[in-house]
């Protein structure tokens, strides 16, 4: 079954790239040997830099299953995930991820995520994206209220 799920992710990557939806990336989320979410790269067609195939597939699966956690699911993706998608996979609590192409394969066609992987490991002050803290005291009000909230849904 694993090969069939990966074949579907690869099929999506090719089909949707040919249709002009975005880059050559596809992904599927699988639960109990059934595809519950599909995604292709829609960055350029949706004008959304977060619309990577894996994120689109996770969103689709969550919508279909009515949940924000996919702890009983696996994800099959046509390429090793970028840092954003990898983070989304952790937040979704996926139990396993399978990938086909590597980061190097993606870099060879000008999808180079090494810059972001490197940036994330740097101290905030040393990153290329300027980040400055502002109004922490005021923002802590929401955090303090959340901490005391009796009916919160943890995630």
């Amino acid at each position: 079954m694993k090969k069939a799920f990966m074949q579907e992710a690869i099929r999506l990557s090719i089909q949707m790239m040919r249709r002009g939806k975005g880059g050559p990336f596809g992904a599927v989320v699988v639960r109990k040997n059934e595809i519950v979410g599909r995604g292709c790269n829609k960055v350029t067609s949706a004008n959304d830099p977060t619309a990577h195939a894996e994120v689109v597939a996770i969103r689709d699966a969550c919508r279909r299953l009515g949940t924000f956690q996919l702890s009983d699911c696996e994800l099959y993706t046509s390429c090793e995930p970028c840092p954003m998608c990898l983070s989304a996979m952790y937040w979704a609590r996926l139990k396993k991820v399978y990938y086909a192409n590597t980061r190097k394969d993606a870099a060879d066609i000008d999808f180079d995520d090494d810059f972001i992987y490197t940036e994330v490991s740097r101290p905030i002050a040393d990153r290329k994206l300027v980040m400055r803290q502002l109004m922490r005291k005021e923002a802590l009000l929401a955090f303090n209220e959340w901490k005391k909230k009796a009916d919160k849904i943890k995630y």
Side-chain angles (χ1 to χ4, degrees), residues 41-94:
N41 182 285
K42 295 181 177 181
V43 170
T44 57
S45 61
N47 293 318
D48 180 353
T50 69
H52 289 200
E54 298 91 337
V55 172
V56 172
I58 288 169
R59 289 174 182 165
D60 186 39
C62 288
R63 181 185 52 76
R64 287 176 188 234
L65 297 174
T67 184
F68 56 85
Q69 290 190 351
L70 302 172
S71 55
D72 59 347
C73 297
E74 299 176 337
L75 187 137
Y76 293 77
T77 178
S78 64
C79 188
E80 184 178 354
C82 75
M84 177 187 68
C85 292
L86 182 60
S87 296
M89 292 169 191
Y90 276 104
W91 280 114
R93 310 289 198 273
L94 291 162

Side-chain angles (χ1 to χ4, degrees), residues 19-132:
R19 290 185 183 173
K21 297 296 180 187
F25 305 98
V28 296
V29 175
V30 175
R31 179 182 184 207
K32 297 178 183 174
N33 288 320
E34 178 184 342
I35 294 175
V36 294
R38 284 182 168 78
C40 66
N41 182 285
K42 295 181 177 181
V43 170
T44 57
S45 61
N47 293 318
D48 180 353
T50 69
H52 289 200
E54 298 91 337
V55 172
V56 172
I58 288 169
R59 289 174 182 165
D60 186 39
C62 288
R63 181 185 52 76
R64 287 176 188 234
L65 297 174
T67 184
F68 56 85
Q69 290 190 351
L70 302 172
S71 55
D72 59 347
C73 297
E74 299 176 337
L75 187 137
Y76 293 77
T77 178
S78 64
C79 188
E80 184 178 354
C82 75
M84 177 187 68
C85 292
L86 182 60
S87 296
M89 292 169 191
Y90 276 104
W91 280 114
R93 310 289 198 273
L94 291 162
K95 68 178 182 180
K96 194 175 280 189
V97 175
Y98 298 92
Y99 65 93
N101 291 319
T102 67
R103 286 167 46 186
K104 183 180 178 337
D105 296 330
D108 289 345
I109 60 165
D110 298 326
F111 289 95
D112 194 353
D113 300 325
D114 278 337
F115 167 74
I116 299 171
Y117 276 106
T118 301
E119 280 289 294
V120 169
S121 67
R122 295 176 195 243
I124 290 175
D126 295 339
R127 294 180 187 163
K128 300 231 184 288
L129 178 61
V130 177
M131 297 177 69
R132 299 288 184 256

